[in-house]
Amino acid sequence: SFATGPRQNNSIFYEIRTYDIKPSKMKEFVEMVNKYIHLRTAHSELVGFWSTELGAMNKVVHVWKYDNFAHRTAVRHALANDKDWQGKFLSPALALVERQHNEVAYLVPWCQLGKPPKEGGVYEWVTFQMKPGGPALWGEAFQAAINAHVNTGYTKLIGVFHTEYGLLNTVHVIWWNESPDHRAAGRHSAHEDARVVAAVRDSVRFLESQQNVLLIPLQCSPLK
């Protein structure tokens, strides 16, 4: 097993890709993705594709699902030999990209990948850098903090991912809200809710840092 901590009882993992796009080329890049992404999704499953709105600028985040590492290897080999994908999208798109970053992550064992109740909302991507030691050290407290937010209903949980390749002891949490204002109101309520405050206070003992970004789904995104 490649897993360094608790995960779901299967070999499925998710590749999280973050691209920095040249500021003057963001509109062009998004248009190219919407036009040609079908060439890429013919090879493997796209979970979501977003552009950043708040917390970062000129970035896109996309998540791909794989059955196992052999599956990813086969997909990458097929893409390298797909002339349509290489010629129509990849070659021209790379000229618009300044930087690429990828991570491999598992869904935590207590979370299923969710879907929003309707289209048209916004996504909040929160990245927690936890203390070294993995879920054996901080897993229970972190789960309790997430569940406190879920159980109060202030926001909708989409998924919780724990990194396997990339910066370790990183957890990515995706939330959905109807709008930025809806999210702001939910945060205000959560900060005044004793159940949430108590759970978060216990969890932050294991927290090194956190960062959040507001994401807008692209037209082609399955999650939107």
Side-chain angles (χ1 to χ4, degrees):
S1 172
F2 283 93
T4 54
R7 61 180 175 90
Q8 300 201 354
N9 292 323
N10 56 48
S11 57
I12 292 172
F13 68 85
Y14 299 82
E15 183 174 6
I16 301 167
R17 287 181 164 247
T18 305
Y19 296 172
D20 292 324
I21 309 301
K22 294 178 181 178
S24 63
K25 301 296 185 179
M26 187 67 179
K27 183 175 182 291
E28 182 180 351
F29 182 86
V30 169
E31 289 175 350
M32 288 187 63
V33 171
N34 283 325
K35 184 176 181 180
Y36 292 116
I37 197 67
H38 68 279
L39 299 174
R40 176 61 183 82
T41 54
H43 293 278
S44 66
E45 181 180 346
L46 173 65
V47 174
F49 207 125
W50 303 268
S51 62
T52 57
E53 180 71 12
L54 297 171
M57 296 180 68
N58 302 304
K59 289 179 181 286
V60 295
V61 181
H62 40 127
V63 179
W64 300 86
K65 180 180 178 181
Y66 293 101
D67 297 334
N68 49 46
F69 287 93
H71 179 211
R72 181 185 184 276
T73 298
V75 169
R76 302 304 297 176
H77 179 76
L79 287 169
N81 291 282
D82 186 329
K83 293 182 179 179
D84 274 350
W85 171 248
Q86 294 288 329
K88 293 180 179 179
F89 178 82
L90 192 60
S91 294
L94 286 179
L96 313 180
V97 178
E98 289 191 326
R99 190 176 298 107
Q100 295 175 296
H101 175 71
N102 77 327
E103 299 169 276
V104 165
Y106 292 107
L107 273 176
V108 297
W110 42 271
C111 173
Q112 297 294 325
L113 192 61
K115 292 184 177 181
K118 61 182 180 180
E119 293 186 3
V122 296
Y123 291 77
E124 184 178 10
W125 185 291
V126 189
T127 299
F128 298 89
Q129 188 59 42
M130 308 302 291
K131 292 183 181 296
L137 175 66
W138 42 259
E140 290 185 4
F142 188 87
Q143 179 181 356
I146 296 298
N147 283 339
H149 286 85
V150 171
N151 293 337
T152 52
Y154 299 130
T155 184
K156 166 70 175 176
L157 179 65
I158 301 298
V160 182
F161 301 89
H162 177 217
T163 56
E164 181 70 15
Y165 288 99
L167 188 60
L168 296 182
N169 297 292
T170 302
V171 184
H172 299 290
V173 183
I174 308 176
W175 303 94
W176 178 89
N177 288 283
E178 291 185 14
S179 68
D181 286 320
H182 183 267
R183 181 262 180 195
R187 291 283 290 177
H188 180 76
S189 297
H191 289 161
E192 295 184 341
D193 191 314
R195 298 165 295 176
V196 176
V197 171
V200 169
R201 183 180 291 123
D202 187 48
S203 178
V204 296
R205 296 180 294 126
F206 306 106
L207 182 66
E208 296 278 355
S209 65
Q210 69 183 81
Q211 180 181 13
N212 69 327
V213 180
L214 193 72
L215 301 174
I216 304 298
L218 269 61
Q219 179 184 340
C220 66
S221 178
L223 284 175
K224 60 184 173 184

